[in-house]
Amino acid sequence: MNGPVLEVSDLKVRFALPRKGFGRKPMVHAVDGVSFQVAQGKTLGIVGESGSGKTTVALSVMRLVNATAGSIKLNGSDFGALRGDALRVQRRHIQMVFQDPYSSLNPRSRAKDIVAEPLDLMKVGTPSERQERVTEVFRQVGLRADQLSLFPHQFSGGQRQRLGIARALATKPELVVCDEPVSALDVAIQAQILNLLAELQREYKLSYLFISHDLAVVQHLCDDVLVMYLGQVVEAASREQLFTNPLHPYTWALLSSVPQVGRRALTGTTVLDGDPPSPVDLPVGCRFAARCAYAQAICRQEPPPLRAIAPDHSVACHLVTESGDAPQRPIMFSPR
């Protein structure tokens, strides 16, 4: 396959709030001009605080939330414009693993029926071929054939997430969207699920769009990373560049707030004070300026563009120089 599996350009998602009085309906700017690509066999991570818009991006890519503007291309076709049967046909190529393995599975359905459901809805193969596929994908995710007739409550938390992964893989998708797939699991089980995802990617050349707030998880699994703040990308880089040379003050703050991300040496830390501005009433300049210890007058007056500092590193900050000098003190991280 030539070109990216997924290509998102200038994605915007806005939600209308109830009108107060006779004015216009206030709008929540959940995602505001986000662009990225996911290459075949690679993992793109999206990180940020709660409310940054990362999950809305994932839901928009899956067509579970309507995009206000922008384009979503899947394998070169305009996935965002598809409707009806055409959309149903393409959905087999993109599937999702949800955050909570407890609430994302139908408690009244047996495991085999949960995994077979996307095959039935998309009419993939004959009934006997679907059953064979269910058995095969159970084996791929480390579940046993004797568990096919069990109900979700009869599985452990880690097994339920394996069941969710099996459901996502049933249609043999090229792209899997993972929305914080390990955040509801304990640390030991997290490692098992992450290793499973990495193994499946190597074996089947899967591409992942991986949503997470856990930087250690992102460092372990992702090839490239987007850092989002209040609906916009403030930094985009390869994993190595992001963890060895973070440029944006917000990225610095996220990294310095984590006790351990691999082996690292900090020359200083930054504490994020206050809350992000309202996504309804956005500031004129940089959206991070009110919480940035280095903000200057230009930061409050003009929004910074996302500009390339290196071939695999872009940042939206007025204070980062063209040579890549950042306003915060140097920080050193050892890549995994």
Side-chain angles (χ1 to χ4, degrees):
M1 183 189 305
N2 297 320
V5 174
L6 177 69
E7 186 174 5
V8 175
S9 300
D10 198 25
L11 180 67
K12 297 179 181 180
V13 181
R14 295 174 183 172
F15 302 109
L17 296 178
R19 182 187 288 111
K20 295 182 179 180
F22 296 97
R24 292 183 178 181
K25 287 185 176 181
M27 302 295 293
V28 174
H29 298 255
V31 178
D32 198 6
V34 171
S35 301
F36 59 87
Q37 296 181 354
V38 182
Q40 183 183 22
K42 300 294 184 180
T43 301
L44 174 68
I46 302 181
V47 300
E49 293 175 287
S50 297
S52 63
K54 57 188 186 296
T55 292
T56 305
V57 169
L59 295 175
S60 299
V61 167
M62 288 297 303
R63 297 287 308 275
L64 299 177
V65 166
N66 292 327
T68 305
S71 67
I72 302 170
K73 292 185 178 180
L74 183 64
N75 293 327
S77 65
D78 192 351
F79 185 65
L82 297 178
R83 299 291 185 274
D85 289 340
L87 175 60
R88 187 176 298 107
V89 169
Q90 285 299 314
R91 279 197 184 278
R92 65 181 297 179
H93 302 294
I94 177 171
Q95 291 291 297
M96 189 167 187
V97 177
F98 294 90
Q99 177 178 359
D100 189 356
Y102 297 90
S103 62
S104 62
L105 303 175
N106 186 343
R108 296 184 176 89
S109 295
R110 297 186 185 274
K112 61 182 179 182
D113 298 323
I114 290 173
V115 176
E117 185 176 15
L119 298 172
D120 295 335
L121 291 173
M122 299 173 202
K123 301 178 180 178
V124 178
T126 64
S128 61
E129 289 172 338
R130 295 172 199 167
Q131 187 56 53
E132 290 176 5
R133 177 58 184 162
V134 169
T135 303
E136 178 186 20
V137 78
F138 248 64
R139 176 189 56 79
Q140 290 172 352
V141 301
L143 294 174
R144 305 187 308 274
D146 62 343
Q147 295 174 303
L148 284 165
S149 296
L150 299 182
F151 290 96
H153 73 272
Q154 295 175 284
F155 292 88
S156 67
Q159 289 175 329
R160 289 181 198 181
Q161 197 58 294
R162 288 175 185 267
L163 186 57
I165 294 171
R167 177 178 59 185
L169 296 182
T171 61
K172 298 183 179 180
E174 286 91 9
L175 176 69
V176 178
V177 178
C178 302
D179 182 17
E180 307 228 27
V182 297
S183 62
L185 307 174
D186 63 50
V187 175
I189 304 301
Q190 283 185 15
Q192 294 177 17
I193 297 300
L194 291 174
N195 289 336
L196 172 64
L197 290 171
E199 181 182 343
L200 292 169
Q201 183 175 52
R202 287 191 297 268
E203 186 169 354
Y204 301 105
K205 305 298 182 184
L206 293 170
S207 301
Y208 293 139
L209 178 61
F210 196 91
I211 311 300
S212 181
H213 67 276
D214 189 330
L215 291 165
V217 169
V218 168
Q219 188 181 20
H220 176 75
L221 192 66
C222 298
D223 300 291
D224 299 286
V225 186
L226 300 183
V227 181
M228 287 189 65
Y229 184 80
L230 205 61
Q232 294 184 328
V233 175
V234 297
E235 190 161 1
S238 65
R239 178 189 64 228
E240 182 176 358
Q241 278 293 313
L242 190 84
F243 284 94
T244 58
N245 186 32
L247 297 178
H248 199 282
Y250 178 62
T251 308
W252 157 273
L254 290 179
L255 290 171
S256 65
S257 67
V258 180
Q260 292 292 333
V261 180
R263 292 175 299 171
R264 64 181 188 167
L266 283 174
T267 60
T269 59
T270 298
V271 178
L272 282 175
D273 293 324
D275 297 317
S278 168
V280 177
D281 185 18
L282 294 170
V284 175
C286 174
R287 298 180 182 183
F288 185 62
R291 305 174 74 192
C292 181
Y294 314 99
Q296 299 180 10
I298 189 175
C299 302
R300 298 179 175 87
Q301 296 167 358
E302 299 180 15
L306 185 66
R307 54 194 170 92
I309 301 300
D312 59 350
H313 204 159
S314 299
V315 66
C317 179
H318 291 300
L319 306 182
V320 177
T321 67
E322 293 298 326
S323 60
D325 293 326
Q328 62 271 2
R329 287 181 290 175
I331 185 172
M332 285 177 49
F333 289 88
S334 297
R336 63 176 186 150

